[in-house]
Amino acid sequence: MVTDMSISVLATRTLRSDRPVSVVAAFPRHTRLGPIMPGWVIELGEMVFEFDEEYAAVVAAADAEIFAPETLPPDPLPDL
C-alpha cells in the first residue's frame, strides 16, 4: 500500500489475496520500489518481495510519482 507518507508491504493468505492479514514492512515514501526483476520481484532493503504481474504497472507508477512525475499521464478524474 502506497500513501503520500509511506509504503507498507502487506501479507495475505495464499488462497485469499484480497484481504491483508499483517503488515510485513514499512518504508518512507521516498523509497524506490523498482526496478522490477524477472519473476515479478522487487527488493526493498534486505527483503525480496514477489508480486502478481497485474501489479507491475502500479509499482512503476508509484516510483514515477516520486522520481519522474513528468512521465505520468494527466489524472482523468481530478475532482474525485
Side-chain angles (χ1 to χ4, degrees):
M1 176 173 62
V2 178
T3 69
D4 59 341
M5 300 293 290
S6 67
I7 298 169
S8 297
V9 180
L10 306 176
T12 62
R13 298 192 191 285
T14 303
L15 299 176
R16 289 297 308 252
S17 62
D18 61 331
R19 295 185 185 184
V21 293
S22 65
V23 176
V24 176
F27 300 91
R29 180 58 185 101
H30 66 271
T31 304
R32 187 177 293 275
L33 296 173
I36 299 171
M37 296 180 284
W40 309 108
V41 173
I42 57 173
E43 289 184 16
L44 292 172
E46 296 181 8
M47 295 180 275
V48 176
F49 297 98
E50 184 178 349
F51 58 95
D52 291 334
E53 176 183 358
E54 66 186 279
Y55 297 108
V58 177
V59 170
D63 274 354
E65 185 176 44
I66 296 297
F67 300 104
E70 68 281 355
T71 64
L72 292 172
D75 186 349
L77 304 167
D79 297 329
L80 292 183

